[in-house]
Short mmCIF file of all heavy atoms in Angstrom, two decimals:
data_model
loop_
_atom_site.label_atom_id
_atom_site.label_comp_id
_atom_site.label_asym_id
_atom_site.label_seq_id
_atom_site.Cartn_x
_atom_site.Cartn_y
_atom_site.Cartn_z
N MET J 1 -23.19 30.83 -35.99
CA MET J 1 -24.02 30.16 -35.01
C MET J 1 -23.31 30.23 -33.66
O MET J 1 -22.14 29.87 -33.55
CB MET J 1 -24.24 28.70 -35.42
CG MET J 1 -24.90 27.90 -34.36
SD MET J 1 -24.94 26.11 -34.64
CE MET J 1 -25.61 25.99 -36.25
N ARG J 2 -23.99 30.65 -32.69
CA ARG J 2 -23.42 30.73 -31.35
C ARG J 2 -23.80 29.46 -30.60
O ARG J 2 -24.94 29.02 -30.63
CB ARG J 2 -23.96 31.94 -30.61
CG ARG J 2 -23.41 32.08 -29.21
CD ARG J 2 -23.82 33.41 -28.59
NE ARG J 2 -23.22 34.54 -29.27
CZ ARG J 2 -21.99 35.00 -29.03
NH1 ARG J 2 -21.24 34.40 -28.14
NH2 ARG J 2 -21.52 36.04 -29.66
N THR J 3 -22.79 28.86 -29.92
CA THR J 3 -23.05 27.67 -29.12
C THR J 3 -22.02 27.58 -28.02
O THR J 3 -20.95 28.19 -28.10
CB THR J 3 -23.02 26.40 -30.01
OG1 THR J 3 -23.47 25.29 -29.24
CG2 THR J 3 -21.62 26.12 -30.52
N ASN J 4 -22.34 26.85 -26.99
CA ASN J 4 -21.40 26.63 -25.88
C ASN J 4 -21.05 25.15 -25.85
O ASN J 4 -21.94 24.29 -25.88
CB ASN J 4 -22.03 27.02 -24.54
CG ASN J 4 -22.25 28.52 -24.44
OD1 ASN J 4 -21.41 29.30 -24.86
ND2 ASN J 4 -23.38 28.91 -23.90
N ILE J 5 -19.75 24.86 -25.82
CA ILE J 5 -19.30 23.48 -25.73
C ILE J 5 -18.17 23.39 -24.71
O ILE J 5 -17.48 24.37 -24.45
CB ILE J 5 -18.83 22.93 -27.09
CG1 ILE J 5 -17.73 23.80 -27.67
CG2 ILE J 5 -19.98 22.82 -28.06
CD1 ILE J 5 -17.12 23.27 -28.97
N VAL J 6 -18.00 22.21 -24.14
CA VAL J 6 -16.91 21.97 -23.21
C VAL J 6 -15.81 21.25 -23.98
O VAL J 6 -16.05 20.19 -24.56
CB VAL J 6 -17.38 21.11 -22.01
CG1 VAL J 6 -16.21 20.82 -21.09
CG2 VAL J 6 -18.51 21.81 -21.27
N ILE J 7 -14.62 21.86 -23.99
CA ILE J 7 -13.49 21.31 -24.72
C ILE J 7 -12.35 21.09 -23.72
O ILE J 7 -12.06 21.96 -22.90
CB ILE J 7 -13.02 22.26 -25.84
CG1 ILE J 7 -14.16 22.49 -26.84
CG2 ILE J 7 -11.79 21.71 -26.54
CD1 ILE J 7 -13.85 23.53 -27.90
N ASP J 8 -11.72 19.94 -23.81
CA ASP J 8 -10.59 19.61 -22.95
C ASP J 8 -9.50 20.67 -23.11
O ASP J 8 -9.08 20.98 -24.23
CB ASP J 8 -10.06 18.22 -23.33
CG ASP J 8 -8.91 17.79 -22.46
OD1 ASP J 8 -7.77 18.15 -22.77
OD2 ASP J 8 -9.17 17.08 -21.46
N ASP J 9 -9.04 21.24 -21.99
CA ASP J 9 -8.04 22.30 -22.03
C ASP J 9 -6.73 21.85 -22.68
O ASP J 9 -6.12 22.61 -23.43
CB ASP J 9 -7.74 22.82 -20.62
CG ASP J 9 -8.89 23.65 -20.06
OD1 ASP J 9 -9.63 24.25 -20.85
OD2 ASP J 9 -9.03 23.70 -18.82
N ARG J 10 -6.31 20.63 -22.37
CA ARG J 10 -5.05 20.13 -22.97
C ARG J 10 -5.19 20.00 -24.48
O ARG J 10 -4.27 20.35 -25.23
CB ARG J 10 -4.65 18.78 -22.36
CG ARG J 10 -4.15 18.92 -20.92
CD ARG J 10 -3.76 17.58 -20.36
NE ARG J 10 -5.00 16.79 -20.23
CZ ARG J 10 -5.05 15.50 -20.02
NH1 ARG J 10 -3.94 14.81 -19.95
NH2 ARG J 10 -6.19 14.89 -19.90
N LEU J 11 -6.34 19.52 -24.92
CA LEU J 11 -6.58 19.39 -26.35
C LEU J 11 -6.59 20.76 -27.04
O LEU J 11 -6.00 20.94 -28.11
CB LEU J 11 -7.90 18.66 -26.60
CG LEU J 11 -8.28 18.39 -28.05
CD1 LEU J 11 -7.25 17.50 -28.73
CD2 LEU J 11 -9.65 17.72 -28.10
N MET J 12 -7.22 21.73 -26.42
CA MET J 12 -7.27 23.08 -27.00
C MET J 12 -5.88 23.69 -27.05
O MET J 12 -5.49 24.30 -28.05
CB MET J 12 -8.23 23.97 -26.21
CG MET J 12 -8.39 25.35 -26.80
SD MET J 12 -8.97 25.40 -28.52
CE MET J 12 -10.64 24.86 -28.35
N ASN J 13 -5.10 23.52 -25.99
CA ASN J 13 -3.74 24.06 -25.98
C ASN J 13 -2.88 23.41 -27.05
O ASN J 13 -2.09 24.09 -27.72
CB ASN J 13 -3.10 23.90 -24.60
CG ASN J 13 -3.71 24.83 -23.58
OD1 ASN J 13 -4.18 25.92 -23.92
ND2 ASN J 13 -3.71 24.42 -22.33
N GLU J 14 -3.04 22.11 -27.24
CA GLU J 14 -2.30 21.42 -28.28
C GLU J 14 -2.75 21.91 -29.67
O GLU J 14 -1.92 22.11 -30.56
CB GLU J 14 -2.49 19.91 -28.17
CG GLU J 14 -1.57 19.14 -29.08
CD GLU J 14 -1.61 17.64 -28.84
OE1 GLU J 14 -2.14 17.21 -27.79
OE2 GLU J 14 -1.13 16.92 -29.71
N ALA J 15 -4.04 22.14 -29.83
CA ALA J 15 -4.55 22.67 -31.10
C ALA J 15 -3.95 24.04 -31.39
O ALA J 15 -3.59 24.34 -32.53
CB ALA J 15 -6.07 22.76 -31.06
N PHE J 16 -3.81 24.87 -30.36
CA PHE J 16 -3.18 26.18 -30.54
C PHE J 16 -1.74 26.03 -31.02
O PHE J 16 -1.31 26.71 -31.94
CB PHE J 16 -3.19 26.99 -29.25
CG PHE J 16 -4.53 27.57 -28.86
CD1 PHE J 16 -4.89 27.69 -27.53
CD2 PHE J 16 -5.42 28.01 -29.82
CE1 PHE J 16 -6.10 28.23 -27.16
CE2 PHE J 16 -6.65 28.56 -29.46
CZ PHE J 16 -6.99 28.67 -28.13
N MET J 17 -1.00 25.13 -30.40
CA MET J 17 0.41 24.95 -30.75
C MET J 17 0.57 24.40 -32.16
O MET J 17 1.41 24.88 -32.92
CB MET J 17 1.09 24.01 -29.75
CG MET J 17 1.32 24.63 -28.39
SD MET J 17 2.31 23.61 -27.29
CE MET J 17 1.26 22.20 -27.07
N VAL J 18 -0.23 23.41 -32.51
CA VAL J 18 -0.09 22.75 -33.81
C VAL J 18 -0.60 23.63 -34.95
O VAL J 18 0.03 23.71 -36.01
CB VAL J 18 -0.84 21.40 -33.81
CG1 VAL J 18 -0.90 20.80 -35.19
CG2 VAL J 18 -0.17 20.43 -32.84
N SER J 19 -1.71 24.30 -34.73
CA SER J 19 -2.35 25.06 -35.81
C SER J 19 -1.85 26.49 -35.94
O SER J 19 -1.97 27.10 -37.00
CB SER J 19 -3.86 25.09 -35.60
OG SER J 19 -4.17 25.88 -34.46
N GLY J 20 -1.36 27.03 -34.85
CA GLY J 20 -0.97 28.43 -34.87
C GLY J 20 -2.15 29.37 -34.67
O GLY J 20 -1.99 30.59 -34.75
N CYS J 21 -3.32 28.81 -34.41
CA CYS J 21 -4.50 29.64 -34.17
C CYS J 21 -4.32 30.43 -32.88
O CYS J 21 -3.70 29.95 -31.92
CB CYS J 21 -5.76 28.78 -34.06
SG CYS J 21 -6.21 27.98 -35.61
N LYS J 22 -4.89 31.61 -32.85
CA LYS J 22 -4.78 32.48 -31.67
C LYS J 22 -6.04 32.46 -30.81
O LYS J 22 -5.99 32.83 -29.64
CB LYS J 22 -4.48 33.91 -32.09
CG LYS J 22 -3.21 34.07 -32.91
CD LYS J 22 -1.99 33.75 -32.10
CE LYS J 22 -0.74 34.00 -32.93
NZ LYS J 22 0.41 33.28 -32.46
N THR J 23 -7.17 32.07 -31.40
CA THR J 23 -8.42 32.08 -30.64
C THR J 23 -9.06 30.70 -30.67
O THR J 23 -8.82 29.91 -31.59
CB THR J 23 -9.42 33.10 -31.20
OG1 THR J 23 -9.83 32.67 -32.51
CG2 THR J 23 -8.83 34.49 -31.28
N LYS J 24 -9.90 30.44 -29.70
CA LYS J 24 -10.63 29.17 -29.66
C LYS J 24 -11.55 29.06 -30.87
O LYS J 24 -11.67 27.99 -31.47
CB LYS J 24 -11.44 29.06 -28.36
CG LYS J 24 -10.58 28.87 -27.14
CD LYS J 24 -11.42 28.78 -25.89
CE LYS J 24 -10.54 28.66 -24.66
NZ LYS J 24 -11.32 28.62 -23.43
N LYS J 25 -12.17 30.15 -31.24
CA LYS J 25 -13.07 30.15 -32.40
C LYS J 25 -12.31 29.72 -33.65
O LYS J 25 -12.79 28.86 -34.41
CB LYS J 25 -13.68 31.54 -32.61
CG LYS J 25 -14.58 31.64 -33.82
CD LYS J 25 -15.09 33.08 -33.98
CE LYS J 25 -16.05 33.18 -35.13
NZ LYS J 25 -15.51 33.61 -36.36
N ASP J 26 -11.13 30.28 -33.87
CA ASP J 26 -10.34 29.92 -35.05
C ASP J 26 -9.93 28.45 -35.01
O ASP J 26 -9.98 27.76 -36.03
CB ASP J 26 -9.08 30.79 -35.15
CG ASP J 26 -9.39 32.22 -35.54
OD1 ASP J 26 -10.50 32.47 -36.06
OD2 ASP J 26 -8.52 33.08 -35.33
N ALA J 27 -9.55 27.95 -33.84
CA ALA J 27 -9.13 26.55 -33.71
C ALA J 27 -10.29 25.61 -34.01
O ALA J 27 -10.13 24.61 -34.72
CB ALA J 27 -8.57 26.29 -32.31
N VAL J 28 -11.47 25.92 -33.49
CA VAL J 28 -12.64 25.07 -33.71
C VAL J 28 -13.03 25.12 -35.18
O VAL J 28 -13.31 24.08 -35.80
CB VAL J 28 -13.81 25.49 -32.80
CG1 VAL J 28 -15.09 24.79 -33.21
CG2 VAL J 28 -13.47 25.20 -31.34
N GLU J 29 -13.03 26.31 -35.78
CA GLU J 29 -13.40 26.41 -37.19
C GLU J 29 -12.42 25.65 -38.08
O GLU J 29 -12.82 24.98 -39.02
CB GLU J 29 -13.48 27.88 -37.62
CG GLU J 29 -14.73 28.55 -37.11
CD GLU J 29 -14.87 29.99 -37.58
OE1 GLU J 29 -13.96 30.51 -38.26
OE2 GLU J 29 -15.91 30.59 -37.27
N GLN J 30 -11.13 25.75 -37.76
CA GLN J 30 -10.14 25.02 -38.54
C GLN J 30 -10.37 23.51 -38.40
O GLN J 30 -10.27 22.77 -39.37
CB GLN J 30 -8.73 25.38 -38.10
CG GLN J 30 -7.67 24.81 -39.00
CD GLN J 30 -6.28 25.34 -38.68
OE1 GLN J 30 -6.07 26.04 -37.71
NE2 GLN J 30 -5.33 24.98 -39.50
N GLY J 31 -10.69 23.07 -37.21
CA GLY J 31 -10.99 21.66 -36.99
C GLY J 31 -12.22 21.19 -37.73
O GLY J 31 -12.27 20.07 -38.23
N LEU J 32 -13.21 22.04 -37.85
CA LEU J 32 -14.43 21.69 -38.58
C LEU J 32 -14.19 21.66 -40.09
O LEU J 32 -14.83 20.89 -40.81
CB LEU J 32 -15.55 22.69 -38.26
CG LEU J 32 -16.12 22.60 -36.84
CD1 LEU J 32 -17.07 23.76 -36.59
CD2 LEU J 32 -16.84 21.28 -36.64
N LYS J 33 -13.27 22.46 -40.58
CA LYS J 33 -12.97 22.51 -42.02
C LYS J 33 -12.10 21.33 -42.46
O LYS J 33 -12.13 20.95 -43.64
CB LYS J 33 -12.26 23.81 -42.36
CG LYS J 33 -13.15 25.03 -42.26
CD LYS J 33 -12.35 26.30 -42.52
CE LYS J 33 -13.20 27.54 -42.32
NZ LYS J 33 -12.40 28.78 -42.49
N LEU J 34 -11.33 20.77 -41.54
CA LEU J 34 -10.37 19.74 -41.90
C LEU J 34 -10.96 18.54 -42.62
O LEU J 34 -10.42 18.11 -43.65
CB LEU J 34 -9.59 19.28 -40.66
CG LEU J 34 -8.51 18.25 -40.88
CD1 LEU J 34 -7.45 18.78 -41.84
CD2 LEU J 34 -7.88 17.86 -39.55
N PRO J 35 -12.08 17.95 -42.18
CA PRO J 35 -12.62 16.79 -42.91
C PRO J 35 -12.99 17.11 -44.36
O PRO J 35 -12.82 16.28 -45.24
CB PRO J 35 -13.87 16.40 -42.11
CG PRO J 35 -13.69 17.00 -40.77
CD PRO J 35 -12.85 18.22 -40.96
N PHE J 36 -13.47 18.32 -44.61
CA PHE J 36 -13.84 18.70 -45.97
C PHE J 36 -12.60 18.84 -46.85
O PHE J 36 -12.59 18.41 -48.00
CB PHE J 36 -14.64 20.01 -45.98
CG PHE J 36 -15.90 19.91 -45.17
CD1 PHE J 36 -15.99 20.48 -43.92
CD2 PHE J 36 -16.99 19.22 -45.67
CE1 PHE J 36 -17.16 20.38 -43.16
CE2 PHE J 36 -18.17 19.11 -44.93
CZ PHE J 36 -18.24 19.69 -43.68
N THR J 37 -11.54 19.41 -46.28
CA THR J 37 -10.29 19.54 -47.01
C THR J 37 -9.72 18.17 -47.35
O THR J 37 -9.28 17.93 -48.48
CB THR J 37 -9.27 20.33 -46.17
OG1 THR J 37 -9.81 21.62 -45.88
CG2 THR J 37 -7.95 20.48 -46.90
N MET J 38 -9.76 17.27 -46.39
CA MET J 38 -9.23 15.92 -46.61
C MET J 38 -10.04 15.18 -47.68
O MET J 38 -9.49 14.47 -48.50
CB MET J 38 -9.21 15.14 -45.30
CG MET J 38 -8.22 15.71 -44.30
SD MET J 38 -8.21 14.84 -42.73
CE MET J 38 -7.50 13.30 -43.23
N LYS J 39 -11.35 15.36 -47.68
CA LYS J 39 -12.20 14.71 -48.68
C LYS J 39 -11.89 15.23 -50.07
O LYS J 39 -11.82 14.47 -51.03
CB LYS J 39 -13.68 14.94 -48.33
CG LYS J 39 -14.61 14.05 -49.10
CD LYS J 39 -14.38 12.60 -48.74
CE LYS J 39 -15.42 11.71 -49.34
NZ LYS J 39 -15.16 10.31 -49.09
N LYS J 40 -11.68 16.55 -50.20
CA LYS J 40 -11.33 17.13 -51.49
C LYS J 40 -9.98 16.57 -51.98
O LYS J 40 -9.83 16.26 -53.16
CB LYS J 40 -11.26 18.65 -51.40
CG LYS J 40 -12.60 19.32 -51.26
CD LYS J 40 -12.43 20.82 -51.10
CE LYS J 40 -13.75 21.50 -50.82
NZ LYS J 40 -13.58 22.94 -50.58
N GLN J 41 -9.02 16.45 -51.07
CA GLN J 41 -7.72 15.90 -51.44
C GLN J 41 -7.84 14.45 -51.87
O GLN J 41 -7.15 14.01 -52.79
CB GLN J 41 -6.73 16.03 -50.27
CG GLN J 41 -6.31 17.45 -50.00
CD GLN J 41 -5.44 17.57 -48.77
OE1 GLN J 41 -5.18 16.61 -48.06
NE2 GLN J 41 -4.98 18.78 -48.51
N GLU J 42 -8.71 13.71 -51.21
CA GLU J 42 -8.93 12.32 -51.57
C GLU J 42 -9.45 12.21 -53.01
O GLU J 42 -9.00 11.36 -53.78
CB GLU J 42 -9.94 11.70 -50.60
CG GLU J 42 -10.26 10.25 -50.85
CD GLU J 42 -11.29 9.73 -49.87
OE1 GLU J 42 -11.13 9.95 -48.65
OE2 GLU J 42 -12.27 9.11 -50.34
N LYS J 43 -10.38 13.08 -53.36
CA LYS J 43 -10.93 13.07 -54.72
C LYS J 43 -9.85 13.41 -55.74
O LYS J 43 -9.81 12.83 -56.83
CB LYS J 43 -12.10 14.03 -54.83
CG LYS J 43 -13.32 13.55 -54.09
CD LYS J 43 -14.47 14.54 -54.22
CE LYS J 43 -15.69 14.02 -53.47
NZ LYS J 43 -16.83 14.93 -53.59
N ILE J 44 -8.97 14.34 -55.40
CA ILE J 44 -7.87 14.70 -56.30
C ILE J 44 -6.91 13.52 -56.46
O ILE J 44 -6.46 13.22 -57.56
CB ILE J 44 -7.15 15.96 -55.80
CG1 ILE J 44 -8.07 17.18 -55.94
CG2 ILE J 44 -5.83 16.17 -56.55
CD1 ILE J 44 -7.56 18.43 -55.26
N ARG J 45 -6.61 12.83 -55.34
CA ARG J 45 -5.70 11.68 -55.41
C ARG J 45 -6.28 10.56 -56.27
O ARG J 45 -5.54 9.82 -56.91
CB ARG J 45 -5.40 11.16 -54.00
CG ARG J 45 -4.37 11.99 -53.26
CD ARG J 45 -3.87 11.28 -52.01
NE ARG J 45 -4.94 10.99 -51.07
CZ ARG J 45 -5.35 11.82 -50.12
NH1 ARG J 45 -4.80 13.00 -49.98
NH2 ARG J 45 -6.31 11.47 -49.29
N GLU J 46 -7.59 10.45 -56.33
CA GLU J 46 -8.22 9.43 -57.16
C GLU J 46 -7.94 9.67 -58.65
O GLU J 46 -8.00 8.74 -59.45
CB GLU J 46 -9.73 9.40 -56.92
CG GLU J 46 -10.11 8.82 -55.57
CD GLU J 46 -11.59 8.93 -55.27
OE1 GLU J 46 -12.35 9.45 -56.12
OE2 GLU J 46 -12.00 8.50 -54.17
N LEU J 47 -7.63 10.90 -59.01
CA LEU J 47 -7.34 11.22 -60.41
C LEU J 47 -5.90 10.86 -60.80
O LEU J 47 -5.58 10.88 -61.99
CB LEU J 47 -7.55 12.73 -60.66
CG LEU J 47 -8.97 13.23 -60.52
CD1 LEU J 47 -9.00 14.75 -60.65
CD2 LEU J 47 -9.87 12.59 -61.56
N ARG J 48 -5.08 10.54 -59.82
CA ARG J 48 -3.67 10.24 -60.11
C ARG J 48 -3.56 9.13 -61.15
O ARG J 48 -4.15 8.06 -61.03
CB ARG J 48 -2.96 9.83 -58.83
CG ARG J 48 -1.48 9.67 -59.03
CD ARG J 48 -0.79 9.35 -57.74
NE ARG J 48 0.64 9.38 -57.98
CZ ARG J 48 1.53 9.59 -57.07
NH1 ARG J 48 1.16 9.80 -55.83
NH2 ARG J 48 2.81 9.59 -57.36
N GLY J 49 -2.81 9.44 -62.21
CA GLY J 49 -2.59 8.47 -63.27
C GLY J 49 -3.68 8.44 -64.32
O GLY J 49 -3.58 7.69 -65.29
N THR J 50 -4.73 9.23 -64.16
CA THR J 50 -5.83 9.19 -65.13
C THR J 50 -5.80 10.37 -66.09
O THR J 50 -6.52 10.38 -67.07
CB THR J 50 -7.20 9.17 -64.42
OG1 THR J 50 -7.36 10.38 -63.68
CG2 THR J 50 -7.31 7.97 -63.49
N LEU J 51 -4.99 11.37 -65.79
CA LEU J 51 -4.91 12.55 -66.64
C LEU J 51 -3.64 12.49 -67.48
O LEU J 51 -2.60 12.06 -67.01
CB LEU J 51 -4.90 13.82 -65.79
CG LEU J 51 -6.07 14.00 -64.84
CD1 LEU J 51 -5.86 15.23 -63.96
CD2 LEU J 51 -7.36 14.12 -65.61
N SER J 52 -3.75 12.92 -68.73
CA SER J 52 -2.54 12.93 -69.56
C SER J 52 -1.97 14.34 -69.57
O SER J 52 -2.70 15.33 -69.54
CB SER J 52 -2.85 12.47 -70.98
OG SER J 52 -3.56 13.46 -71.68
N TRP J 53 -0.65 14.40 -69.57
CA TRP J 53 0.05 15.68 -69.59
C TRP J 53 1.29 15.53 -70.44
O TRP J 53 2.00 14.53 -70.35
CB TRP J 53 0.43 16.08 -68.17
CG TRP J 53 1.21 17.35 -68.10
CD1 TRP J 53 0.71 18.61 -68.19
CD2 TRP J 53 2.61 17.50 -67.92
NE1 TRP J 53 1.72 19.53 -68.08
CE2 TRP J 53 2.91 18.87 -67.91
CE3 TRP J 53 3.66 16.60 -67.77
CZ2 TRP J 53 4.19 19.36 -67.77
CZ3 TRP J 53 4.94 17.09 -67.62
CH2 TRP J 53 5.19 18.47 -67.62
N GLU J 54 1.53 16.52 -71.26
CA GLU J 54 2.72 16.51 -72.09
C GLU J 54 3.52 17.76 -71.77
O GLU J 54 2.97 18.84 -71.66
CB GLU J 54 2.36 16.49 -73.57
CG GLU J 54 1.72 15.20 -74.02
CD GLU J 54 1.40 15.19 -75.50
OE1 GLU J 54 2.01 15.99 -76.24
OE2 GLU J 54 0.54 14.40 -75.91
N GLY J 55 4.79 17.61 -71.63
CA GLY J 55 5.65 18.74 -71.34
C GLY J 55 7.00 18.26 -70.84
O GLY J 55 7.22 17.07 -70.63
N ASP J 56 7.90 19.20 -70.64
CA ASP J 56 9.23 18.90 -70.16
C ASP J 56 9.36 19.44 -68.74
O ASP J 56 9.59 20.64 -68.53
CB ASP J 56 10.27 19.52 -71.08
CG ASP J 56 11.69 19.13 -70.71
OD1 ASP J 56 11.89 18.55 -69.62
OD2 ASP J 56 12.60 19.41 -71.51
N LEU J 57 9.19 18.57 -67.77
CA LEU J 57 9.22 18.97 -66.37
C LEU J 57 10.57 19.56 -65.99
O LEU J 57 10.64 20.56 -65.26
CB LEU J 57 8.88 17.78 -65.46
CG LEU J 57 8.68 18.07 -63.99
CD1 LEU J 57 7.60 19.11 -63.79
CD2 LEU J 57 8.34 16.80 -63.24
N GLU J 58 11.64 18.98 -66.47
CA GLU J 58 12.98 19.50 -66.16
C GLU J 58 13.14 20.93 -66.68
O GLU J 58 13.70 21.78 -66.00
CB GLU J 58 14.06 18.60 -66.73
CG GLU J 58 14.21 17.27 -65.99
CD GLU J 58 14.55 17.48 -64.50
OE1 GLU J 58 15.37 18.34 -64.16
OE2 GLU J 58 13.95 16.75 -63.68
N ALA J 59 12.65 21.19 -67.87
CA ALA J 59 12.75 22.54 -68.43
C ALA J 59 11.93 23.53 -67.61
O ALA J 59 12.33 24.68 -67.41
CB ALA J 59 12.27 22.55 -69.88
N MET J 60 10.80 23.08 -67.09
CA MET J 60 9.96 23.95 -66.28
C MET J 60 10.61 24.27 -64.94
O MET J 60 10.36 25.32 -64.35
CB MET J 60 8.59 23.31 -66.05
CG MET J 60 7.76 23.18 -67.32
SD MET J 60 6.20 22.32 -67.01
CE MET J 60 5.36 23.50 -65.99
N ARG J 61 11.44 23.36 -64.45
CA ARG J 61 12.09 23.54 -63.16
C ARG J 61 13.26 24.50 -63.21
O ARG J 61 13.71 25.01 -62.19
CB ARG J 61 12.56 22.20 -62.62
CG ARG J 61 11.42 21.32 -62.18
CD ARG J 61 11.91 20.01 -61.66
NE ARG J 61 10.84 19.22 -61.14
CZ ARG J 61 10.87 17.91 -60.98
NH1 ARG J 61 11.95 17.23 -61.32
NH2 ARG J 61 9.83 17.27 -60.49
N ILE J 62 13.78 24.75 -64.40
CA ILE J 62 14.94 25.64 -64.55
C ILE J 62 14.47 27.07 -64.43
O ILE J 62 13.57 27.53 -65.12
CB ILE J 62 15.64 25.41 -65.92
CG1 ILE J 62 16.20 23.99 -65.98
CG2 ILE J 62 16.74 26.45 -66.12
CD1 ILE J 62 16.75 23.62 -67.33
N ASP J 63 15.10 27.79 -63.51
CA ASP J 63 14.78 29.21 -63.29
C ASP J 63 15.56 30.05 -64.28
O ASP J 63 16.77 30.11 -64.26
CB ASP J 63 15.12 29.60 -61.86
CG ASP J 63 14.62 30.99 -61.50
OD1 ASP J 63 13.76 31.50 -62.22
OD2 ASP J 63 15.10 31.54 -60.51
N VAL J 64 14.83 30.68 -65.18
CA VAL J 64 15.49 31.47 -66.24
C VAL J 64 15.59 32.91 -65.81
O VAL J 64 14.81 33.49 -65.19
CB VAL J 64 14.70 31.37 -67.57
CG1 VAL J 64 15.35 32.22 -68.63
CG2 VAL J 64 14.60 29.93 -67.97
#
């Protein structure tokens, strides 16, 4: 979708620095995706402590 918006230059420059994006399009798209990513993470965090797992974590951490 093509659209024109006015974005604060300081905010865009900070978005470039923080995100590593090279274009305004990439920075805006990354910003639009962020709420969805956070919502998915929230749903995953809600599962904490509700799933059972059996195994030896220490053994898995050892590089053989």
